[in-house]
Amino acid sequence: MQSLKRAVRAGPAVVAVLAVSALTALTASADAAPGRYCGSDSVHGLAVFGSGSTSCATALQVANAYQARSSNGSPVTVLVGGTAWRCQEQQGDSNPFDRCVATADSSRWVELTS
């Protein structure tokens, strides 16, 4: 709060810069996928990431279950801890990646990348 008071005393230009900075920070965090690195799958050694609502233990189990099945590019459903996960290769910016999403809650996801 003190820094905002100082900014207001400093003039409108500083307030405008602070407003643009805050908007940029909000936009950047909204675009970023809220996930974390969980380790590597045990089948191919791919990097495993899980959403904020997916534990790393679950993410690794999903990744290993998915990698153990041959998909040939077709969607695959794996069952981990009583939850069904739908997995499929996705096209990334430069390289494809695998993504699994919990069928009951799309906010829970797992990604595998090389």
Side-chain angles (χ1 to χ4, degrees), residues 20-60:
V20 169
S21 296
L23 181 60
T24 302
L26 286 174
T27 303
S29 65
D31 290 340
R36 65 186 170 288
Y37 175 70
C38 292
S40 302
D41 77 272
S42 62
V43 179
H44 298 294
L46 297 176
V48 177
F49 295 84
S51 65
S53 58
T54 303
S55 73
C56 278
T58 297
L60 290 167

Side-chain angles (χ1 to χ4, degrees), residues 28-98:
S29 65
D31 290 340
R36 65 186 170 288
Y37 175 70
C38 292
S40 302
D41 77 272
S42 62
V43 179
H44 298 294
L46 297 176
V48 177
F49 295 84
S51 65
S53 58
T54 303
S55 73
C56 278
T58 297
L60 290 167
Q61 289 175 353
V62 170
N64 290 329
Y66 173 58
Q67 290 297 319
R69 300 205 33 205
S70 175
S71 68
N72 298 326
S74 299
V76 171
T77 300
V78 296
L79 188 62
V80 172
T83 299
W85 297 78
R86 185 149 172 93
C87 305
Q88 188 170 16
E89 184 176 283
Q90 306 289 317
Q91 184 56 50
D93 257 348
S94 57
N95 293 316
F97 63 94
D98 295 307

